């Protein structure tokens, strides 16, 4: 799989929203899903959520209700909609394909900074 490309990050005030994008040409036609992760400075990378090839979505318990993952197969792009953002959501957000023969390199990531 090709390296995904993330975009859409930036500074935002607490309570605001951002939509991140992750594009990986060919991942849907290859039958792959996509996962989002984040890593705050000084912390380990943590799993945010995922979307399967059949559009099933899963989220980390702490993020349910605020984050939503969707997919546009025509664009080979997955979105991470983040609402009611909090300072603790500040992190580098990255995506990665998953599934049988679907492992991809990590993307460069996109930085989200939430100010109080």
């Amino acid at each position: 799989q090709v390296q995904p490309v993330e975009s859409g990050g930036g500074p935002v005030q607490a309570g605001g929203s951002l939509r991140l994008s992750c594009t990986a040409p060919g991942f849907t036609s290859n039958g792959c899903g996509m996962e989002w992760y984040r890593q705050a400075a000084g912390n380990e990378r943590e799993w945010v959520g995922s979307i399967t090839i059949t559009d099933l979505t899963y989220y980390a318990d702490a993020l349910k209700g605020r984050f939503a993952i969707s997919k546009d197969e025509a664009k080979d792009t997955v979105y991470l909609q983040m609402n009611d953002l909090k300072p603790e959501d500040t992190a580098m957000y990255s995506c990665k394909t998953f599934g049988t023969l679907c492992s991809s390199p990590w993307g460069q990531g996109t930085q989200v900074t939430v100010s109080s």
Side-chain angles (χ1 to χ4, degrees), residues 9-18 82 85-87 90 112-116:
V12 62
Q13 290 193 327
S17 299
L18 278 177
M82 306 185 295
L85 283 162
K86 306 176 185 302
T90 294
V112 172
T113 303
V114 185
S115 59
S116 57

Side-chain angles (χ1 to χ4, degrees), residues 36-56:
W36 281 99
Y37 289 80
R38 67 183 185 182
Q39 186 169 19
N43 290 0
E44 294 187 353
R45 182 181 285 130
E46 66 171 332
W47 178 75
V48 171
S50 61
I51 186 164
T52 71
I53 188 60
T54 57
D55 289 344
L56 294 176

Side-chain angles (χ1 to χ4, degrees), residues 3 5-6 14 34 48-49 67 73 76 81-82 90 98-100:
Q3 183 180 41
V5 177
E6 303 93 341
M34 190 72 76
V48 171
F67 286 19
E73 291 192 357
D76 274 325
Q81 178 68 43
M82 306 185 295
T90 294
F98 75 94
T100 302

Side-chain angles (χ1 to χ4, degrees), residues 5-114:
V5 177
E6 303 93 341
S7 63
V12 62
Q13 290 193 327
S17 299
L18 278 177
R19 189 179 78 159
L20 308 183
S21 299
C22 168
T23 300
F27 89 93
T28 56
S29 59
N30 289 337
C32 304
M34 190 72 76
E35 298 180 295
W36 281 99
Y37 289 80
R38 67 183 185 182
Q39 186 169 19
N43 290 0
E44 294 187 353
R45 182 181 285 130
E46 66 171 332
W47 178 75
V48 171
S50 61
I51 186 164
T52 71
I53 188 60
T54 57
D55 289 344
L56 294 176
T57 53
Y58 303 90
Y59 303 96
D61 286 344
L63 302 177
K64 288 179 182 177
R66 292 196 301 121
F67 286 19
I69 298 174
S70 61
K71 181 174 55 175
D72 185 334
E73 291 192 357
K75 297 181 179 180
D76 274 325
T77 297
V78 168
Y79 302 100
L80 177 63
Q81 178 68 43
M82 306 185 295
N83 300 321
D84 190 23
L85 283 162
K86 306 176 185 302
E88 51 265 40
D89 294 318
T90 294
M92 181 70 77
Y93 286 73
S94 303
C95 57
K96 199 174 189 299
T97 56
F98 75 94
T100 302
L101 302 178
C102 291
S103 180
S104 72
W106 288 103
Q108 294 291 320
T110 186
Q111 177 69 38
V112 172
T113 303
V114 185

